[in-house]
Amino acid sequence: MAFNFGGAANSASLSGTGFGAATTTSAPTGFGFGSGGTGAFGGFGTTTTAGGNSFSFSTPSNTGASLFGNTQSKGFGFSSALGTSGALGGAGLGFGGFGGIQPAQNQPGGLFNQQASQSSQLFNTASALSAPSVLNDERDSILARWNQLQAFWGVGKGYYSSSTPPVEFSPENPFCRFKAVGYSCVPDVKDEDGLVALALNKKEADVRCQQQQLVESMHKVLGGNPTLTVNVEGVRALPDDQTEMIIYLVERSPNGTSKRVPASTLYSYMEQMNVKSVLQQLGVIMAVSRTALTPAQLKQLLQNPPAGVDPIIWEQAKVDNPDPEKLIPVPMVGFKELLRRLKFQDQMNKQHQTRVDIISNDISVLQRNQATTAAKITQYKRKLMDLSHRVLQVLIKQEVQRKSGYAIQLDEEHLRVQLETIQSELNAPTQFKGRLNELMSQIRMQNHFGAVRSEERYRVDADLLREIRQHLKHQQEGLSHLISVIKDDLDDIKTIEDELHDSVHGRSSKLS
C-alpha cells in the first residue's frame, strides 16, 4: 500500500509504508473517535434550539443538514474522528471538520464563502513564508525561514505584517509535512436503519453490566414516550478504556406496526444542547449517525481534496485505492492521528485474535467429539457384527430344528460341497489358516509389547502360550519321527553290512 506525503513544497508521492503506515481497516461498521473538542465532528448538523425532553420527529429549525448549502462546517474536511474503523456518516454529508477547524455559524454563501476564506488564509500563509514585512530589514528573511519551519511542523504563529494579526500554523495548513493518506471503509447502512453510535467513557465490561440501566436512562432522555423503544445493536471495546454502543429507536404505531426512527432524526435530537448535556452525564462522549453516502455525495467528496492536502497527493491516493467500491481515502495529519489509528488497528487485531482463538477452541472440541464419535461407531459396528452372528446361530438352530427328519435337498447338498471346499482351503497349511495364525500372533505380540517392556518379567498370553506349546509339541513329534526313521535306517544299514560280511566269509570258506 502506498502513502503520500508532503505539502505544496514537496508534492512527491512516496511508496511503501513510510511515515503514517495506516493499514486498510477491516470493520466496515467501525466507529472512530477524535481527540478534539466541539469541532471534531463538525458538519454532522448540530441543533441550536432546545425543545425540552420530549422527543419530536420534526426537523429542527436550525440544523446544518448538508455541506452543499448552508452548513456549520468549513469546507470538505475530514474529522479526526474518522478512524481506522471507517466511521463515516452524519446528519449531512457525514465527514465533519478536519482536525482543529472549528464549526462556524451559518453563512449565506455556503461553499463559495468557504473557498474565498481558504484562499485568503492561503495567501496570508504564503506571505508569512516567503515575504514577511515586519521589521523591514534583513531580519525578515530569518523570520521567513522560522515561519517555514513552523509551517512544516504544523505549530506556532507566523508573523508577516506589523499591522495584521499572525497566521496560526496548524497541521491542516498546506505546507505541513507530517501528512499521509490512508483508507477507511465506507458504511453501507441506510438512514432508515436508524443506527446511531455512542462513544462512552467507560470500559466494555461496565457498559455490558449497566446496559439495561443505560437503555432506560436514554429512553427517559428521549422523552419517555411509551410508543418508543431503545434497542442496542452492538457493544464493542475501544482504545483508552472507551466503549462503542450502537443503538436504534423503534416507534410503534397504534395499529400494531412498528418502524425504526431514521438515524438523522435521532442524531439531530441528541445534538440539542439540553439533551447532549444529559447524555454527557451518562458518560456519552460523542454521538455519530451511521448513514451511508449517496453516489453524488461520494463523487463530490472525492473531487474536492480535504483542506491542507495537496491535490496531487489526493489524486494519487485515489489511484492507489485497493478497492474503490468499499474504501475511501482518508487524510492523516500529525502524530496524534497516526497514533490514534494505530490504537484502533491494535484493538481490531486483538478482537480478530480473540475470535481466532475462539474458533481454534471450537475446532479442538469438534475434533475431540469427532474422535469420540468415530470410536463409538467402531464399537457399535463390532457389536452389530456380534449380534448378527448370534442371530445367525439362532437361525441355524431353528432351521436345523425345522429340517430335522427330512432328506437332504439338492441345494443343501450344493451348499455342503461349497462349505467343505472353503473349509479345506482354510485348513490348508500354506493357505489362509497359516497366514491367519501368523497375523494373530503378530497382533497379540504388538498388543502386549508395551506391557511386556514396562515389566521386569515377560508374560505371554494364554492363547499364545497354548499355540507355542502346540507348535513345540509338533516339532517334538516331528523330531521323534525323524529320529525313529534314522534309527530304522541305521538298523537297515547294519543288517545290510552284516549280510555283506556273512556273504564274504561264506565265499572265502568255499574257496579254501
Side-chain angles (χ1 to χ4, degrees):
M1 185 183 299
F3 293 95
N4 303 318
F5 300 86
N10 184 12
S11 59
S13 174
L14 303 181
S15 61
T17 54
F19 167 76
T23 56
T24 304
T25 59
S26 58
T29 58
F31 184 58
F33 301 100
S35 59
T38 59
F41 270 84
F44 284 106
T46 56
T47 304
T48 57
T49 59
N53 287 331
S54 60
F55 187 80
S56 174
F57 295 103
S58 61
T59 304
S61 59
N62 189 11
T63 304
S66 173
L67 286 174
F68 296 99
N70 297 334
T71 65
Q72 293 180 340
S73 176
K74 287 187 176 182
F76 266 106
F78 287 86
S79 171
S80 60
L82 189 63
T84 60
S85 303
L88 309 179
L93 187 59
F95 283 89
F98 180 68
I101 298 179
Q102 300 295 329
Q105 300 295 329
N106 291 345
Q107 300 175 0
L111 187 60
F112 300 100
N113 286 344
Q114 295 168 9
Q115 292 177 352
S117 176
Q118 291 177 0
S119 300
S120 177
Q121 183 75 9
L122 182 60
F123 177 78
N124 295 336
T125 303
S127 299
L129 299 180
S130 60
S133 58
V134 178
L135 302 174
N136 296 322
D137 55 15
E138 66 276 2
R139 289 176 293 180
D140 287 340
S141 61
I142 300 176
L143 182 61
R145 295 182 180 180
W146 173 248
N147 291 339
Q148 292 176 9
L149 180 60
Q150 292 184 103
F152 292 162
W153 187 261
V155 293
K157 296 181 180 181
Y159 292 90
Y160 64 96
S161 177
S162 58
S163 60
T164 56
V167 178
E168 293 285 345
F169 291 124
S170 63
E172 287 76 27
N173 77 84
F175 303 97
C176 181
R177 295 300 181 88
F178 300 105
K179 294 179 183 179
V181 178
Y183 300 94
S184 292
C185 296
V186 180
D188 55 356
V189 295
K190 301 179 181 178
D191 188 31
E192 293 77 12
D193 296 334
L195 298 181
V196 175
L198 303 177
L200 301 173
N201 193 17
K202 299 179 180 180
K203 297 182 179 180
E204 181 184 6
D206 298 338
V207 172
R208 292 188 181 277
C209 294
Q210 303 174 4
Q211 180 174 331
Q212 186 62 30
Q213 291 82 349
L214 289 173
V215 170
E216 294 176 356
S217 301
M218 290 181 185
H219 185 265
K220 293 179 181 179
V221 172
L222 297 176
N225 193 336
T227 60
L228 300 176
T229 305
V230 179
N231 299 276
V232 178
E233 179 75 12
V235 177
R236 73 182 184 93
L238 295 175
D240 300 329
D241 292 334
Q242 295 180 357
T243 306
E244 176 196 37
M245 184 169 66
I246 303 176
I247 66 171
Y248 62 92
L249 200 61
V250 177
E251 180 189 13
R252 296 188 304 273
S253 58
N255 58 3
T257 60
S258 61
K259 65 176 183 178
R260 293 191 180 188
V261 177
S264 57
T265 305
L266 179 58
Y267 173 78
S268 299
Y269 181 81
M270 287 184 173
E271 284 299 301
Q272 296 181 10
M273 294 304 298
N274 57 337
V275 178
K276 195 171 184 179
S277 61
V278 178
L279 291 176
Q280 290 177 355
Q281 296 177 2
L282 297 177
V284 179
I285 305 174
M286 193 178 301
V288 174
S289 173
R290 290 293 182 84
T291 307
L293 296 175
T294 62
Q297 291 173 338
L298 187 60
K299 182 179 179 181
Q300 181 72 10
L301 179 65
L302 294 176
Q303 289 178 352
N304 294 273
V309 177
D310 191 279
I312 299 177
I313 298 177
W314 186 251
E315 292 298 328
Q316 185 64 34
K318 291 191 294 183
V319 173
D320 296 337
N321 192 344
D323 192 352
E325 298 294 332
K326 297 181 180 180
L327 301 177
I328 189 171
V330 178
M332 296 179 296
V333 180
F335 295 102
K336 291 184 179 180
E337 177 68 14
L338 182 62
L339 177 61
R340 187 186 60 79
R341 291 178 68 93
L342 181 61
K343 288 182 178 179
F344 274 98
Q345 192 69 30
D346 292 340
Q347 184 73 20
M348 188 61 62
N349 290 338
K350 290 180 181 178
Q351 293 179 1
H352 289 172
Q353 186 62 42
T354 303
R355 176 56 58 184
V356 170
D357 294 340
I358 294 174
I359 294 174
S360 178
N361 294 334
D362 293 341
I363 291 175
S364 300
V365 173
L366 291 176
Q367 289 178 347
R368 290 195 297 268
N369 293 339
Q370 181 185 9
T372 304
T373 304
K376 288 184 178 180
I377 290 174
T378 305
Q379 180 182 358
Y380 291 152
K381 284 183 178 180
R382 185 166 55 252
K383 186 176 182 181
L384 177 62
M385 186 178 297
D386 296 339
L387 293 176
S388 300
H389 290 169
R390 292 175 61 184
V391 171
L392 183 60
Q393 292 177 359
V394 172
L395 291 176
I396 291 173
K397 292 182 179 180
Q398 183 180 3
E399 189 68 16
V400 170
Q401 186 71 20
R402 188 176 67 87
K403 291 288 185 176
S404 60
Y406 291 93
I408 298 177
Q409 299 178 359
L410 182 61
D411 54 350
E412 294 177 349
E413 183 66 23
H414 288 196
L415 288 175
R416 185 181 66 81
V417 173
Q418 293 178 2
L419 289 175
E420 289 178 353
T421 304
I422 294 173
Q423 185 68 25
S424 62
E425 291 179 356
L426 291 176
N427 292 333
T430 60
Q431 294 296 325
F432 304 104
K433 187 172 182 179
R435 297 178 182 178
L436 288 175
N437 292 333
E438 184 178 358
L439 289 175
M440 290 297 296
S441 300
Q442 292 181 359
I443 291 173
R444 292 192 183 98
M445 289 289 291
Q446 290 178 359
N447 291 336
H448 296 276
F449 182 73
V452 169
R453 290 186 59 184
S454 62
E455 297 179 0
E456 295 181 358
R457 298 181 179 180
Y458 291 96
R459 294 182 181 180
V460 183
D461 185 50
D463 296 334
L464 182 61
L465 184 60
R466 185 169 54 255
E467 291 181 2
I468 293 174
R469 288 176 179 175
Q470 186 175 3
H471 179 72
L472 293 176
K473 182 180 180 181
H474 292 166
Q475 293 290 335
Q476 185 67 28
E477 291 177 355
L479 291 174
S480 300
H481 180 70
L482 183 60
I483 290 171
S484 62
V485 171
I486 292 173
K487 287 182 177 180
D488 294 339
D489 293 340
L490 291 174
D491 293 337
D492 294 338
I493 292 173
K494 186 177 181 180
T495 302
I496 293 172
E497 290 179 351
D498 294 339
E499 291 293 336
L500 290 174
H501 187 271
D502 294 339
S503 62
V504 171
H505 282 287
R507 290 177 184 179
S508 61
S509 62
K510 290 179 179 182
L511 291 175
S512 64

